[in-house]
């Protein structure tokens, strides 16, 4: 196998691992970033359930970007009087993975 083919094969393997880890890591990421202290898959806790979030924003193409920002910067007023605190230790990539996972929970 030539060097070019080896590089291509390696790139495909790395990409597949990154994609699968991101897709599979979201529940674990939610736990590691303590999202589960306020959110549950199916029932309201301090914040809305992941399923309620997914249902509310289904079909809204602008939702992911807004929710990624809300995860990092916090927000208030969309789900009642309890604000969502800012999560500055969550990276933009982590916030994106979390939001994509949450929005898929319909």
């Amino acid at each position: 196998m030539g060097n070019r083919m080896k590089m291509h094969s390696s790139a495909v393997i790395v990409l597949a691992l990154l994609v699968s880890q991101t897709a599979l890591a979201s529940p674990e990421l939610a736990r590691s970033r303590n999202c589960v202290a306020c959110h549950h898959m199916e029932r309201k806790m301090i914040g809305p359930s992941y399923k309620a979030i997914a249902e509310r924003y289904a079909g809204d193409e602008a939702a992911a970007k807004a929710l990624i920002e809300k995860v990092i910067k916090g927000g208030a007023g969309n789900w009642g009087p309890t604000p969502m605190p800012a999560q500055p230790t969550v990276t933009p990539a982590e916030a994106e993975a979390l939001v994509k996972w949450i929005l898929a929970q319909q």
Side-chain angles (χ1 to χ4, degrees):
M1 192 178 332
N3 283 341
R4 186 174 182 170
M5 183 62 115
K6 286 180 185 178
M7 286 179 26
H8 177 72
S9 296
S10 296
V12 169
I13 291 168
V14 169
L15 182 60
L17 287 172
L18 289 173
V19 169
S20 65
Q21 286 177 351
T22 299
L24 297 174
S26 294
E28 292 79 14
L29 184 58
R31 281 190 286 282
S32 74
R33 290 304 190 183
N34 211 25
C35 302
V36 297
C38 297
H39 300 279
H40 184 270
M41 181 61 72
E42 297 179 355
R43 62 181 165 81
K44 182 184 183 328
M45 291 177 49
I46 295 168
S49 71
Y50 298 134
K51 287 191 182 253
I53 296 167
E55 289 171 6
R56 177 178 281 189
Y57 295 105
D60 182 348
E61 293 182 20
K65 183 178 178 182
L67 292 172
I68 290 166
E69 186 172 320
K70 188 166 289 206
V71 167
I72 296 169
K73 295 182 179 179
N78 291 7
W79 294 92
T82 304
M84 174 157 167
Q87 304 297 318
T89 62
V90 175
T91 68
E94 290 171 332
E96 182 177 2
L98 286 164
V99 166
K100 284 181 178 181
W101 174 71
I102 291 166
L103 292 177
Q105 301 308 308
Q106 297 179 10

